[in-house]
């Protein structure tokens, strides 16, 4: 167990998991259950890049120097200020004999675990990067442990589209699982239904036989979603206003999915959910205590799930939705073009 | 709907529910569906008391002064650092004509919703409290809304014992519900098994037919729990050390219950849980992002529940366990005596 989660890669402090570690051993020589990837590109987490760009006032050379310094110091691209990392794309280089990961040398892959726990060595000084974007062309090596997640990039999708889907692929898979636990025709409400995780969640709920209600923040989001056919009803409301959310959704939902990345959406989601229903929190801005105490304070008999980013088969499931529901793909492409 | 959840008591910011509010109106004059309680005793949430005691290095007068300041500033006992509150005992003073709560003036009751959403006014400067325990003798008034939960105190139990049980009564009820979703003989691991919510969770799991494993922090807790017969196995480990927790539990558990009120227990709980298993987080010190990113980083297919403090019938269920399992009652009485 201890090796499969990468404990042998932790240099300091000892005893913690790689994500919690200050420094990892990024030695390219792999253990029996590890996989080495030849890195092509890093996708820095948006919060991390924003912090670096702000600190260096947009000076690309200084941003690049700090990324290099972080990776050299920590053995991983783990921004010490934001605590976040990102993902990477690369080609599988070597697969240890005991690795359970379903890849072979030569596969073009994306890592589906955070860079904050991925041993990384950069060998090209990031010479091909101007420091001015989250997308970082890079050469070097990264290590995946036995207990990890990797996605082979599909041949039929541009890599940036596949990455955008992989980034949120836990959401539709968990929505599918939860909705199938309710009778057909259950109502699923998605707060933030026009976003990436939101639109995939709507598509998953619809495919699972649910009636879908989307709550979006603006008229323009409503219009963007209206033509997509993913939501049987769309309401415009501020997800942080619990009464507005409950009124927008109307009859309480069996399943409410929170995909809005701002604090304060817990109570609206709880208030909008029927007794015996489930709230799935996918936003990293969720407050544990606000959810727990809010449900108690409302005497709300609802099951509340921490949105786990991993469900077996989640990447394939999400890419399948993108391929089969053109409206989802169109929403994603518009988002990517707008970035 | 808007009045029954106490929106009229929210002073700032407007539009949020009382739990999310910075400040409530604690005016003792009640609305038509409200209930006023004459307060006798507050029971501070363990995480909140621990934070206050740590900050003031055990100086009782300073702890008392800060509790008074919080209540005066916010109109509720809502610790701004931990986000948690507690509960209270009192006597029903006045019941509004439209209140749906099943109480009458003179009833000795406990509020089963958090103090973080209960309008509270203290009138005795907490003169009867030395600041050195979570149990706070107090005089003043508290308000309950229409949509709320209240428990009449049983005649056969001392009030402080009933309050201590009510404080954590959501835990055994939810453990019971979750464990019954697994085959008989499932393994349930409880981190912090010697505490209040922990021992009730063990008792509930055992009654539901589970094999129980307790993880406790010290030899003295192990010895206290050993004679109780609640745990089939007991291990001593630091719940913040993921590898130690996983090794202490051994074969991964079907259900892991986190009842340790310190930060950093998420990864151990996830690592100790089998694929397809469930982690129930009852600790208010739980970090949502540590849980979500931790499970993803470990490729852990586990269901993670925010421990909802409300399950229908939870108070009666917990009191029933206390009455029928003498070992649980003994653990509670020892804890109360030690406070």
């Amino acid at each position: 167990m201890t090796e499969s989660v990468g404990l042998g890669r932790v240099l300091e402090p000892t005893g913690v998991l790689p994500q919690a570690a200050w420094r990892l051993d990024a030695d390219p020589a792999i253990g029996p259950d590890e996989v080495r990837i030849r890195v092509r590109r890093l996708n820095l987490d948006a919060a991390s890049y924003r912090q670096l760009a702000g600190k260096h006032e947009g000076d690309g050379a200084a941003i690049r120097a700090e990324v290099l310094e972080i990776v050299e110091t920590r053995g991983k691209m783990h921004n010490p200020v934001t605590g976040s990392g990102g993902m990477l794309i690369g080609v599988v280089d070597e697969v240890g004999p005991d690795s359970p990961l379903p890849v072979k040398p030569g596969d073009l892959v994306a890592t589906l675990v955070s860079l904050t726990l991925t041993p990384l060595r950069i060998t090209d000084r990031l010479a091909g990067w101007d420091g001015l974007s989250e997308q970082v062309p890079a050469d070097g090596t990264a290590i995946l442990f036995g207990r990890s997640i990797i996605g082979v990039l599909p041949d039929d999708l541009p890599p940036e589209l596949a990455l955008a889907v992989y980034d949120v692929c836990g959401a539709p898979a968990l929505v599918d699982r939860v909705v199938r636990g309710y009778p057909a025709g259950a109502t699923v409400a998605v707060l933030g239904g026009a976003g990436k995780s939101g639109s995939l969640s709507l598509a998953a709920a619809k495919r699972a036989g649910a009636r879908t209600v989307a709550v979006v923040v603006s008229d323009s989001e409503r219009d963007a979603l209206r033509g997509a056919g993913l939501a049987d009803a769309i309401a415009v409301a501020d997800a942080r206003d619990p009464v507005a959310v409950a009124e927008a959704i109307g009859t309480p939902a069996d399943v409410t999915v929170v995909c809005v990345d701002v604090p304060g959406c817990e109570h609206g989601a709880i208030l909008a959910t029927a007794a015996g229903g489930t709230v799935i929190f996918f936003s990293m801005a969720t407050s544990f205590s606000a959810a727990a105490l809010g449900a108690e304070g409302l005497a709300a008999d609802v099951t509340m799930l921490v949105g786990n980013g991993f469900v077996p088969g989640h990447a394939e499931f999400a890419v399948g939705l993108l391929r089969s529901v053109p409206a989802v793909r169109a929403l994603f492409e518009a988002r990517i073009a707008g970035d």
Side-chain angles (χ1 to χ4, degrees), chain A:
Chain A
M1 186 272 295
T2 55
E3 277 317 298
S4 69
V5 300
L7 278 182
R9 293 281 182 174
V10 173
L11 292 178
E12 59 176 296
T14 53
V16 302
L17 299 182
Q19 186 163 36
W22 172 251
R23 194 158 64 94
L24 299 180
D25 176 1
D27 187 338
I30 60 172
D33 75 344
E34 292 182 334
V35 167
R36 184 178 60 250
I37 292 168
R38 179 80 180 268
V39 177
R40 284 198 179 169
R41 184 146 50 108
L42 310 178
N43 287 267
L44 301 184
D45 169 77
S48 174
Y49 182 76
R50 192 176 310 128
Q51 185 270 329
L52 292 168
K55 174 179 173 185
H56 297 292
E57 298 175 335
D59 176 345
I63 295 169
R64 182 174 57 211
E66 182 159 359
V67 168
L68 281 167
E69 191 195 330
I70 290 172
V71 175
E72 270 163 39
T73 304
R74 306 196 65 174
K76 58 179 178 175
M77 182 50 212
H78 187 165
N79 184 322
V81 176
T82 62
S84 58
M87 300 161 66
L88 65 81
I89 284 181
V91 175
V92 174
D93 212 17
E94 187 182 356
V95 178
D98 299 337
S99 170
L101 299 183
V103 291
K104 60 184 187 306
D107 282 348
L108 181 64
V109 296
T111 59
L112 302 186
V113 292
S114 171
L115 288 180
T116 62
L117 56 95
T118 305
L120 178 66
R121 184 169 287 184
I122 300 291
T123 55
D124 69 344
R125 304 294 302 163
L126 301 179
W129 183 44
D130 60 10
L132 299 178
S133 130
E134 297 165 12
Q135 306 274 333
V136 184
D139 198 354
T141 55
I143 306 296
L144 286 182
F145 316 126
R147 191 162 167 175
S148 193
I149 332 173
I150 196 166
V152 177
L153 289 175
D155 294 334
D156 60 331
L157 299 178
E160 64 271 21
L161 183 57
L163 261 191
V165 173
Y166 283 172
D167 191 31
V168 294
C169 65
L174 186 53
V175 167
D176 176 73
R177 181 186 281 183
V178 170
V179 171
R180 291 184 191 278
Y182 285 87
T187 296
V188 176
V190 178
L191 310 189
K196 291 192 295 181
S197 59
S199 59
L200 278 171
S201 294
L202 284 169
K206 210 154 181 56
R207 171 167 296 184
R211 176 178 165 268
T212 52
V213 182
V215 176
V216 298
V217 71
S218 65
D219 290 348
S220 64
E221 286 205 342
R222 181 194 56 203
D223 296 342
L225 195 54
R226 185 168 278 162
L230 301 174
D232 296 307
I234 308 175
V236 177
D238 183 339
R240 295 166 301 184
D241 181 336
V243 176
V245 168
E247 288 175 351
I249 289 174
T251 306
D254 298 295
V255 178
T256 302
V257 187
V258 181
C259 296
V260 180
D261 264 323
V262 297
C265 301
E266 302 86 0
H267 293 175
I270 292 165
L271 204 55
T273 305
T278 298
V279 181
I280 313 176
F281 293 106
F282 280 115
S283 164
M284 281 300 151
T286 301
S287 157
F288 181 89
S289 59
L293 296 176
E296 181 189 273
L298 292 166
D301 181 19
V302 294
T303 298
M304 295 185 288
L305 297 181
V306 177
N308 183 348
F310 176 69
V311 175
H314 60 341
E316 299 74 13
F317 183 79
V319 167
L321 280 173
L322 190 90
R323 285 200 188 100
S324 59
V325 186
V328 171
R329 180 164 180 164
L331 284 168
F332 267 73
E333 286 174 338
R335 289 243 158 200
I336 290 169
D339 276 348

